[in-house]
Amino acid sequence: MAPPPGLHMSPLSSSDPHTAPEPPSQGPRHTPPRTPVDTESLRRVCGHFVTGVTVVTSGLGERAAGTTVNSFTSVSLDPALVLFCLHRASRLRAVVEESRAYAVNLLAAEQEPLARAFAGRATASLDETPHHSARTGVPVLGGVVGYLSCHLVNTVEAGDHTVFVGEVVELGVPGADEEPLVFFRGELGPLHRHLSTTERF
């Protein structure tokens, strides 16, 4: 079809106005080599991000166990998804994979000894810790600010950790008026103590 009067088409243009010209060819892109960051520097910088402190519990009966975790976050409201991360060498990893369920227990400030007990290599025994069973059968600790009981829906391998994504099937805040336990710059403590800290990064 001939162009209408007054419209001049470049010899390089297509007669079809809806056809975009092909972009110029580009040579291969070279990605500069990456220099790994120092692990201690990464730990120090991430330590300036204030987090809550949880104990993740899983397993049924004699297999029930728990470990202290601060790498926890919500993922989605619909569906209701949360996640937490465990080191690949964690003993709780096999328990979660076997039971396909876990509970995230949000610790109160007065539960700092409990956080330390479940953080050690020889973690605290659930037989010695007040708890009840969630609908999924996994333990929910007593005295916590809140809890979320979840069915495991996905796992993702990420570096030296495994990410566990769970769908929340039961939740509550029995200690809504309790002060939370937080982790900041490598220290555990009540929220008010960290809020009064004046040192800056």
Side-chain angles (χ1 to χ4, degrees), residues 21 26 52 55 78 100 110 117 128 148 161 175 188:
Q26 297 181 349
V55 168
D78 186 15
R100 308 295 297 176
E110 64 182 19
E128 304 170 354
L148 304 99
H161 278 63
L188 293 169

Side-chain angles (χ1 to χ4, degrees), residues 7-94:
L7 178 61
H8 301 280
M9 300 183 68
S10 166
L12 297 179
S13 300
S14 167
S15 59
D16 184 353
H18 300 289
T19 302
E22 294 185 1
S25 176
Q26 297 181 349
R29 297 182 179 180
H30 299 283
T31 304
R34 292 181 299 173
T35 302
V37 299
D38 176 67
T39 55
E40 288 305 314
S41 295
L42 179 61
R43 184 192 301 271
R44 178 176 59 85
V45 171
C46 289
H48 284 74
F49 179 64
V50 183
T51 70
V53 183
T54 78
V55 168
V56 173
T57 49
S58 185
L60 309 175
E62 296 181 354
R63 287 283 289 163
T67 192
T68 303
V69 169
N70 76 321
S71 55
F72 160 75
T73 188
S74 60
V75 177
S76 167
L77 293 177
D78 186 15
L81 301 177
V82 298
L83 69 77
F84 75 96
C85 304
L86 279 182
H87 193 278
R88 288 185 176 183
S90 172
R91 287 175 292 180
L92 190 66
R93 177 183 175 182

